[in-house]
Amino acid sequence: MKIEVLSKTEQVRRAILVEILSGRLRPGERLLEAQLSKELGVSQATVNAALQDLHNQGLVTKLLNRSTNVRRYTLDDIERIFAVRALLEPSAAAAAAASWSAKAEAGLAVQVEAMRRAARARDLAGFCIADYEFHQEIYRLSGNPFLAGAAEAIAAAPFAYVLCDHPHALPTDYAALAEDHQEIIAAFGQGPREAVRATRSRIEQWLGHSRRALKSAGVKSGKRVLELQS
């Protein structure tokens, strides 16, 4: 077993991601680099780099020389993100399946097992982070850095965010959701065509989950900002 060595920027990015997906950092909340630097024991330059990564991934909105805030999503935002995702992720899945290996399977299986543990513990933040990392890994496995870059902001983050902040609005069977991801891994092993089919099918299913969550929260159209309530 190989221990993953993370840079300070990646450690900070993950720490902030946990706070967002757990709901401790709220949509629209301002993130102060000086405060985060002090709390995390790192330089402001490291915090700035981590926030830029999170901006690229759609979790925060970072305005040059102004402020950084946790991002809010509208229903239209979610629809548009999934429309792009439905185009890009099947392509990434096909590329990953074409060069499938035991190492690639093991990398994805780690995240599925993390989802299973989180589902048993009812750790929604942990589940959402594993979900997010699973889909990021698919893009990395495509071997296409341009595809991975284009997909950075439309991976699982918005979907995970909606689920984690509305655990009661959406009665999701998280254990079953983890097994959905295991089925995707199995499809990859059957070749590109099956990988594309399974990925498209699951994306449609997950969009349905997100729509129901938003409607349960009272978000009826993209004109109304998604104000997540605890």
Side-chain angles (χ1 to χ4, degrees):
M1 180 181 295
K2 187 176 180 180
I3 298 175
E4 185 179 10
V5 178
L6 302 177
S7 68
K8 281 190 177 180
T9 297
E10 178 60 15
Q11 291 178 53
V12 171
R13 186 192 73 82
R14 291 193 181 193
I16 297 172
L17 183 64
V18 168
E19 294 298 295
I20 292 173
L21 294 182
S22 68
R24 289 187 288 270
L25 287 174
R26 311 299 299 164
E29 185 170 342
R30 186 172 183 180
L31 304 176
L32 301 175
E33 292 183 12
Q35 180 180 335
L36 289 170
S37 173
K38 183 178 180 180
E39 290 176 356
L40 298 171
V42 297
S43 69
Q44 284 190 225
T46 299
V47 171
N48 182 65
L51 290 176
Q52 185 61 54
D53 287 345
L54 289 168
H55 171 82
N56 294 339
Q57 293 158 1
L59 270 294
V60 305
T61 301
K62 194 174 192 301
L63 302 177
L64 184 63
N65 298 323
R66 292 180 61 188
S67 65
T68 302
N69 300 79
V70 180
R71 184 167 178 180
R72 287 187 173 102
Y73 285 101
T74 66
L75 181 53
D76 277 354
D77 287 336
I78 297 298
E79 295 280 357
R80 289 166 182 154
I81 286 168
F82 271 90
V84 176
R85 188 177 169 191
L87 295 174
L88 295 184
E89 197 160 324
S91 296
S99 59
W100 195 238
S101 66
K103 182 179 179 180
E105 182 175 358
L108 289 173
V110 166
Q111 301 305 332
V112 171
E113 187 54 37
M115 286 184 226
R116 289 168 174 158
R117 289 196 303 271
R120 289 194 294 270
R122 297 186 180 182
D123 174 11
L124 295 188
F127 184 96
C128 291
I129 290 167
D131 183 343
Y132 172 75
E133 294 294 349
F134 179 95
H135 294 278
Q136 291 285 22
E137 182 65 13
I138 290 175
Y139 288 112
R140 287 191 287 267
L141 289 172
S142 74
N144 185 334
F146 297 100
L147 177 59
E152 199 171 38
I154 53 88
F159 168 65
Y161 196 12
V162 169
L163 284 185
C164 280
D165 217 78
H166 293 282
H168 304 297
L170 179 60
T172 297
D173 184 341
Y174 287 90
L177 196 55
E179 298 313 313
D180 286 346
H181 290 75
Q182 183 60 49
E183 290 176 12
I184 288 178
I185 294 177
F188 278 31
Q190 297 176 44
R193 180 175 294 183
E194 184 59 21
V196 168
R197 184 205 64 77
T199 300
R200 282 178 176 159
S201 174
R202 293 309 181 192
I203 287 173
E204 290 176 4
Q205 176 184 335
W206 296 329
L207 173 56
H209 283 314
S210 292
R211 283 173 175 155
R212 288 193 295 276
L214 294 177
K215 289 177 181 177
S216 294
V219 180
K220 300 181 184 301
S221 74
K223 294 180 180 178
R224 179 177 174 184
V225 173
L226 174 57
E227 296 281 358
L228 303 182
Q229 302 296 324
S230 58

